Amino acid sequence: MSYDPTRHLLLTPEDADAPARVVRLRELGLGDVPVPEFDDFARELARITGAPYAMVNFIDEHRQYFAGLYTPAADQAVQLGPSPAAAQPGREMARDHGYCPHVVVRRKALVLEDVCDYPRFAGNPVVDEIGIRSYMGAPLIDHTGMALGTVCVVDQEPRPWGRQGLETIKSMAAKLVEQIHRREHGS
C-alpha cells in the first residue's frame, strides 16, 4: 500500500451505493424531472432557515438533480453549473460540484458556516463559479436504508447556522422522507 499525501483532499467522495441508488430512484420515479411538491418543500425550507437557496437533491453516478428548487427569484432559474440542453436550466449540477455528495456518502448532516474555513471544501468548484460561502444539508434516507439524496440550503454569505440549524435541516429531511414514502404508497 502506497502513501498518497493528497488523499485527504479528495474533493468528491467515492460512492459505492450510486448504482443501487439509481435503481431505487427509478422505482420511485425521482431524479429526472421537477416535482412541484418538492419545489414547495424547498420554498418552505428556505423560509424556515432564512436561506436564499434551497434544494431537494437526488444524486446518481455522474450528476445531481434538483427535483425541488427554490431561488430568491422563483421565476429566474439559478445557474448551478453546466446543464445539457435537455435539462431544465438550474436543475442539474455535476457530481463533483457542491457538498451534497459528501452528505450522501457519509449519511450524516453537514453544516459549513463558512466553507472557506475548511480547506477540503473551500476548493470546491461552487465556491469560485457560483460564490457559495455557506452550506447546510442532510441526507434523505428512505425506509430501505438507501441514502437517496439530500435537502440542503446555501448562501453566498457565511451563515451562523449553529445547532438549531443542524436540528432544523435534519428534521426537514425526515419530513421529506415521509412525504416520499407517502408518494410511493399512493397516499
Side-chain angles (χ1 to χ4, degrees):
M1 179 175 190
S2 65
Y3 174 71
D4 179 358
T6 63
R7 172 93 172 107
H8 68 285
L9 295 176
L10 181 65
L11 295 179
T12 306
E14 290 182 34
D15 186 358
D17 291 338
R21 179 179 316 106
V22 169
V23 169
R24 181 70 179 130
L25 289 171
R26 285 190 184 128
E27 288 173 0
L28 295 169
L30 298 173
D32 288 319
V33 296
V35 178
E37 304 89 66
F38 294 173
D39 284 342
D40 293 342
F41 186 92
R43 181 179 302 105
E44 179 68 5
L45 181 58
R47 186 192 65 75
I48 288 170
T49 61
Y53 302 94
M55 287 77 85
V56 174
N57 185 8
F58 298 108
I59 301 172
D60 67 22
E61 297 104 321
H62 309 289
R63 69 178 178 119
Q64 304 175 65
Y65 186 81
F66 303 115
L69 177 64
Y70 176 78
T71 66
D75 59 341
Q76 173 188 345
V78 61
Q79 192 57 263
L80 294 173
S83 296
Q88 181 174 341
R91 293 269 180 181
E92 191 170 314
M93 188 164 68
R95 190 176 168 281
D96 66 347
H97 283 53
Y99 310 104
C100 291
H102 294 272
V103 171
V104 167
V105 170
R106 292 177 49 209
R107 303 172 58 87
K108 294 169 85 173
L110 177 64
V111 176
L112 302 171
E113 294 182 345
D114 185 342
V115 298
C116 294
D117 289 343
Y118 303 89
R120 177 178 188 168
F121 296 119
N124 194 283
V126 298
V127 175
D128 292 332
E129 293 175 19
I130 306 168
I132 299 302
R133 285 295 300 274
S134 60
Y135 169 91
M136 182 169 58
L140 297 169
I141 300 175
D142 78 351
H143 63 85
T144 70
M146 178 64 62
L148 302 172
T150 68
V151 295
C152 68
V153 293
V154 297
D155 199 339
Q156 292 175 314
E157 301 292 329
R159 295 285 299 262
W161 305 111
R163 179 158 295 283
Q164 182 178 352
L166 174 64
E167 294 307 317
T168 297
I169 200 76
K170 288 166 59 176
S171 71
M172 291 297 285
K175 184 176 175 180
L176 187 63
V177 167
E178 286 303 314
Q179 188 174 340
I180 291 168
H181 186 255
R182 286 191 304 274
R183 274 176 57 101
E184 180 179 20
H185 297 306
S187 48

